[in-house]
């Protein structure tokens, strides 16, 4: 099984490392995953909503409400001279975790429960089904690799609790759309400010955080 060497220890373990591996996964759950604010998002397209006072265009696969929020953040960032500030990063990550990404922490917990309750090991390599995903476990090296229903590798872990996440195609598409959406709105806001003679650094803005792209 091809396990990335960036998170494996390189030390082979004996077949009785089942409990050690389960312990490592459990430690990962408590140290590398934390709760995040959820994002309230309505449906994809409000095609019947004629109450808007200005034309709204959304060429992404993301909900209109979400697109509007990102554009607002980009405009506020442009006014402050800050490109992709902390608020934007937190909002983006919360949305991705809630709507785009597989629940990796839940998968780790599920595998931990399975390994903790195994009465014996029949083979070095075993595959376990978890919520529509599968985990391929190598009991000799103490590693596991998770795949989604499309066969995409989404995560690997070892008995030391080290985890490496691999982005899915859906996550990669989300990031592409997000980056393009934010950049377009940011650049438009900066151009509007310059056209209005507002290209100066706003009062009270930390000069070290001023965007140098404009």
């Amino acid at each position: 099984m091809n396990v990335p060497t960036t998170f494996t220890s390189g030390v082979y373990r004996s077949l009785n490392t089942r409990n050690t591996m389960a312990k490592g996964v459990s430690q990962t759950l408590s140290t590398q995953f934390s709760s995040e604010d959820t994002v309230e998002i309505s449906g994809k397209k409000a095609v019947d909503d004629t109450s808007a006072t200005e034309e709204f265009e959304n060429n992404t696969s993301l909900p209109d409400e979400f697109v509007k929020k990102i554009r607002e953040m980009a405009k506020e960032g442009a006014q402050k001279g800050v490109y992709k500030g902390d608020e934007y990063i937190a909002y983006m990550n919360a949305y991705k975790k809630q709507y785009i990404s597989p629940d990796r922490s839940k998968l780790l917990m599920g595998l931990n429960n399975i390994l903790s309750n195994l009465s014996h090991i029949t083979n070095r390599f075993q595959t376990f089904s978890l919520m529509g995903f599968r985990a391929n476990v190598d009991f000799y090296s103490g590693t596991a690799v998770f795949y989604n229903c499309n066969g995409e590798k989404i995560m690997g872990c070892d008995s030391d609790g080290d985890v490496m996440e691999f982005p899915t195609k859906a996550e990669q598409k989300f990031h592409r759309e997000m980056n393009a959406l934010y950049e377009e709105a940011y650049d438009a806001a900066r151009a509007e400010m310059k056209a209005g003679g507002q290209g100066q650094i706003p009062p009270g803005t930390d000069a070290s955080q001023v965007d140098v792209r404009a």
Side-chain angles (χ1 to χ4, degrees):
M1 180 171 57
N2 183 19
V3 179
T5 57
T6 51
F7 67 88
T8 56
S9 63
V11 177
Y12 283 95
R13 297 169 177 81
S14 62
L15 291 179
N16 63 1
T17 57
R18 177 183 74 253
N19 293 332
T20 303
M21 184 173 180
K23 181 180 179 182
V25 173
S26 179
Q27 290 173 341
T28 300
L29 291 174
S30 62
T31 58
Q32 296 193 11
F33 292 89
S34 59
S35 60
E36 295 182 32
D37 295 335
T38 57
V39 180
E40 296 296 333
I41 298 294
S42 59
K44 171 66 178 76
K45 302 286 186 181
V47 293
D48 296 326
D49 185 3
T50 59
S51 62
T53 57
E54 60 181 29
E55 184 179 356
F56 178 78
E57 184 176 351
N58 179 5
N59 296 321
T60 74
S61 63
L62 303 168
D64 288 349
E65 183 180 343
F66 181 75
V67 170
K68 290 177 182 178
K69 180 67 175 178
I70 295 304
R71 287 174 176 167
E72 290 173 2
M73 288 183 170
K75 185 175 182 179
E76 292 174 359
Q79 292 171 346
K80 297 176 182 178
V82 178
Y83 187 73
K84 294 184 179 179
D86 293 340
E87 182 182 2
Y88 162 79
I89 298 298
Y91 187 79
M92 178 194 67
N93 287 335
Y95 181 91
K96 185 179 73 169
K97 180 178 180 180
Q98 188 173 352
Y99 294 103
I100 307 296
S101 299
D103 193 338
R104 293 180 172 90
S105 60
K106 193 171 183 179
L107 289 171
L108 286 170
M109 184 179 297
L111 180 61
N112 179 57
N113 291 336
I114 290 175
L115 298 180
S116 298
N117 291 293
L118 277 181
S119 58
H120 63 282
I121 298 172
T122 56
N123 298 297
R124 170 183 173 178
F125 300 104
Q126 286 188 243
T127 299
F128 302 95
S129 297
L130 296 161
M131 302 173 292
F133 297 80
R134 77 174 191 270
N136 292 351
V137 177
D138 181 349
F139 288 103
Y140 189 37
S141 64
T143 58
V145 182
F146 294 80
Y147 298 86
N148 64 13
C149 60
N150 297 321
E152 297 177 272
K153 180 165 61 175
I154 65 168
M155 179 173 57
C157 66
D158 64 14
S159 58
D160 294 326
D162 296 324
V163 173
M164 174 171 281
E165 297 183 1
F166 302 92
T168 64
K169 291 181 180 179
E171 289 173 314
Q172 292 173 350
K173 179 182 178 181
F174 172 72
H175 279 289
R176 286 195 303 269
E177 289 188 322
M178 283 285 296
N179 290 333
L181 180 65
Y182 186 98
E183 183 173 351
E184 180 182 10
Y186 185 93
D187 289 344
R190 293 291 290 181
E192 184 179 347
M193 291 168 59
K194 285 185 177 181
Q198 303 178 33
Q200 301 86 357
I201 299 176
T205 301
D206 184 353
S208 65
Q209 295 182 347
V210 174
D211 173 43
V212 296
R213 299 168 356 107

